[in-house]
Amino acid sequence: MTIKNRPFSLAGRQNATPDSVERPASLWLSESLHTFWRKAVRTPWRNARRSMRRALAAGSDAGAPVSVDTTTELAVVPFAGRFPPPLTQCEVLAPCQYRTRLHPLSVNSTKDECVHYVDHTVDAPAMMLEHLTDQYWFPYFGLLVSQQGQVWRHSYLGPFQDGFLTRVKAIVDRPLPDGSKEHLLYPDRLARIPRIAGEYLLLAGSDQPNYGHYLLDVVPLIRLGVKMGMPMLTWTLRPWQRAVVARLDVPPGLIREIKPEPVFLEHAITSNRHCGAASINAHPQTKEVFSVILANIEKHAPAAERPRRLLVCRGVRDARNIRNRRTMIEALAPLGFIAIQPEKLPFDEQAMLFSNAEFIVSEFGSGMVNAIFSRPGTKLVEIIAEGQFDPWSSHFGAMNRFEHVVLFQHQSQEALLRDPRHLKDSEFSYEVDVPRLVETVDALMRE
């Protein structure tokens, strides 16, 4: 089963796609072509389309100013096992608190993000359902926008950015004399989009879903929809999403799939979970949901001997790439660690691998969310570059009651300013202090 110092496929085949760590030459060529295409084709074409939209909108007074709705407060009603009435919200799951602990072996950041990893209390938010009416729903970032141009504050992930609007063809950015921009929504350009009547729980935050956010934010909503027997709406599911849904006992027809294109919703049931509330501050209720999923997976998973020590690697095309990943893989192999790239494995096999693991070393990223299937007390060493400013892993480790060690890799301010890792297509990469990693893993193994 073990393949020397290389990611492996449990189906017995080496997966040598261009983002695999085993083919550095192919990776270099693939990355070079991708960079050329992005700079020579995609970015100029995107800018040209924006310019055309501005030109078509020039001189028109029909646009509605677009802004984030920070003032509308929906009335709170008790949860009655069904969707709340129009323009109200209800609390399905109460908030809770738990404590984090900085493990003695951890190397905390020297940057401001260190506050997320020191001992503190986590406020895991409630799960809310919110009933909005007459909303445009756009695939890119799953934006809900009213006819008056108000963007619902729980329909996008993270802090709002103007870039969220760039792919909405009905929204035009118009330069202002002071150098800033105003954004205008032109409803006449949406006159022919599909109109959907009826009440639906929305399950898609974006037509390009993030694995980690989907598991922690959306999957609990699917479980809720199943328990209530209420209809749900999503963009066309990806294969891995179908694999997840298959383990949630969803009755046929309860989830309606539509093409990833703008639609007008007469009744949209959304949730504060769509803004990343449960992935940033993980709620212990999430464990219950994934216990159900794991039990269903175990009914179908083939019996096999699985490694107890995992090294979780990101796809090489992803941002935050580790330059000396191969050295890290080779250094941990003598300690019994098997390197995997989770996205190359079927969902069921990912769950089984993590449920059987006793010790996990993981690069910061969505693949680590699979540890939701691991047992309390599992040893988890996380590798993360400074400048991430994202507390989710600290809270995730505490919620699961792992022996969680975080190893921040120091980054200069120059490196962080040159390649901000949160920008699309950022070329940020870093190196791991491999001797320190091996020393830490060895010490944790002897505890």
Side-chain angles (χ1 to χ4, degrees):
M1 176 171 181
T2 301
I3 297 177
K4 294 182 180 179
N5 304 333
R6 293 191 295 178
F8 69 98
S9 165
L10 293 181
R13 299 188 305 270
Q14 282 298 306
N15 205 335
T17 52
D19 67 337
S20 173
V21 297
E22 69 205 54
R23 295 181 61 178
S26 297
L27 169 66
W28 178 86
L29 177 60
S30 176
E31 286 292 279
S32 298
L33 292 173
H34 177 71
T35 300
F36 172 79
W37 176 80
R38 182 180 72 245
K39 294 180 178 179
V41 179
R42 189 177 70 184
T43 300
W45 173 238
R46 183 178 297 168
N47 292 337
R49 286 187 301 173
R50 292 175 190 168
S51 297
M52 286 189 288
R53 292 206 296 265
R54 289 193 204 104
L56 291 172
S60 173
D61 296 324
V66 177
S67 61
V68 177
D69 186 346
T70 59
T71 58
T72 299
E73 294 296 336
L74 302 175
V76 179
V77 299
F79 176 57
R82 57 181 181 272
F83 294 152
L87 303 180
T88 67
Q89 60 180 330
C90 63
E91 181 182 278
V92 178
L93 188 70
C96 71
Q97 294 183 327
Y98 53 89
R99 295 282 297 175
T100 70
R101 180 180 70 93
L102 184 66
H103 196 281
L105 292 174
S106 291
V107 176
N108 204 351
S109 176
T110 63
K111 308 291 190 289
D112 292 343
E113 65 206 333
C114 64
V115 299
H116 297 313
Y117 291 84
V118 296
D119 297 3
H120 65 279
T121 298
V122 179
D123 292 306
M127 176 191 283
M128 306 294 297
L129 292 183
E130 304 164 331
H131 190 154
L132 307 178
T133 59
D134 298 337
Q135 299 282 315
Y136 297 112
W137 194 31
F138 297 99
Y140 194 58
F141 283 103
L143 294 177
L144 286 169
V145 185
S146 71
Q147 294 169 295
Q148 295 73 41
Q150 293 291 290
V151 181
W152 186 243
R153 56 187 175 270
H154 292 156
S155 64
Y156 53 87
L157 187 65
F160 185 79
Q161 304 173 37
D162 286 348
F164 293 174
L165 306 174
T166 58
R167 293 195 185 180
V168 179
K169 296 179 181 179
I171 295 179
V172 176
D173 59 303
R174 179 182 294 172
L176 296 175
D178 63 359
S180 61
K181 298 177 183 178
E182 67 173 346
H183 300 278
L184 300 175
L185 172 70
Y186 290 84
D188 58 306
R189 301 185 181 183
L190 299 166
R192 297 184 179 181
I193 66 173
R195 188 182 186 100
I196 297 180
E199 300 177 348
Y200 287 93
L201 174 61
L202 306 185
L203 301 178
S206 170
D207 62 345
Q208 300 178 3
N210 174 282
Y211 182 79
H213 289 297
Y214 193 83
L215 262 63
L216 294 178
D217 293 320
V218 177
V219 168
L221 289 175
I222 300 176
R223 176 65 177 169
L224 174 64
V226 171
K227 292 173 69 175
M228 293 191 299
M230 303 299 280
M232 294 169 274
L233 189 67
T234 181
W235 315 124
T236 306
L237 294 172
R238 305 289 180 86
W240 62 265
Q241 291 173 309
R242 294 184 190 281
V244 177
V245 170
R247 300 301 180 229
L248 281 165
D249 296 326
V250 181
L254 197 61
I255 296 179
R256 176 181 174 182
E257 296 184 40
I258 61 174
K259 295 179 180 179
E261 60 184 18
V263 293
F264 184 83
L265 304 176
E266 294 183 2
H267 296 275
I269 314 299
T270 185
S271 172
N272 63 329
R273 293 295 179 92
H274 285 288
C275 69
S279 51
I280 298 299
N281 299 300
H283 198 293
Q285 175 260 359
T286 308
K287 287 290 291 183
E288 300 174 16
V289 175
F290 284 91
S291 293
V292 172
I293 294 175
L294 182 60
N296 283 338
I297 289 173
E298 289 174 338
K299 297 175 185 177
H300 300 85
E305 177 120 6
R306 295 180 173 89
R308 297 291 185 179
R309 297 174 183 177
L310 301 177
L311 171 57
V312 183
C313 299
R314 290 171 59 82
V316 189
R317 278 183 174 174
D318 294 334
R320 305 188 300 272
N321 190 31
I322 292 178
R323 292 190 293 269
N324 61 340
R325 183 182 283 111
R326 179 166 292 280
T327 300
M328 177 179 69
I329 293 173
E330 293 172 349
L332 290 179
L335 298 178
F337 285 85
I338 299 297
I340 64 168
Q341 288 178 242
E343 72 273 18
K344 293 180 175 293
L345 301 172
F347 173 71
D348 283 8
E349 192 54 49
Q350 293 182 54
M352 292 301 296
L353 277 172
F354 280 81
S355 69
N356 281 276
E358 298 174 349
F359 201 135
I360 301 167
V361 176
S362 177
E363 301 177 27
F364 178 92
S366 289
M368 195 174 75
V369 172
N370 285 304
I372 192 76
F373 295 109
S374 302
R375 294 180 296 275
T378 298
K379 300 181 191 303
L380 172 62
V381 175
E382 179 188 9
I383 304 164
I384 178 171
E386 288 185 322
Q388 188 61 43
F389 297 104
D390 189 340
W392 82 267
S393 63
S394 171
H395 301 165
F396 179 78
M399 183 272 288
N400 285 288
R401 303 198 303 276
F402 294 148
E403 286 294 312
H404 183 201
V405 176
V406 59
L407 296 181
F408 272 97
Q409 309 299 306
H410 177 65
Q411 305 297 309
S412 68
Q413 287 301 119
E414 292 77 13
L416 297 178
L417 291 172
R418 183 176 63 251
D419 294 308
R421 76 282 312 285
H422 294 296
L423 294 181
K424 186 176 179 60
D425 296 322
S426 173
E427 298 178 2
F428 176 83
S429 62
Y430 67 102
E431 290 196 0
V432 174
D433 183 345
V434 174
R436 182 62 178 265
L437 171 62
V438 172
E439 177 185 339
T440 302
V441 168
D442 185 64
L444 194 58
M445 290 172 63
R446 288 187 275 103
E447 283 190 354

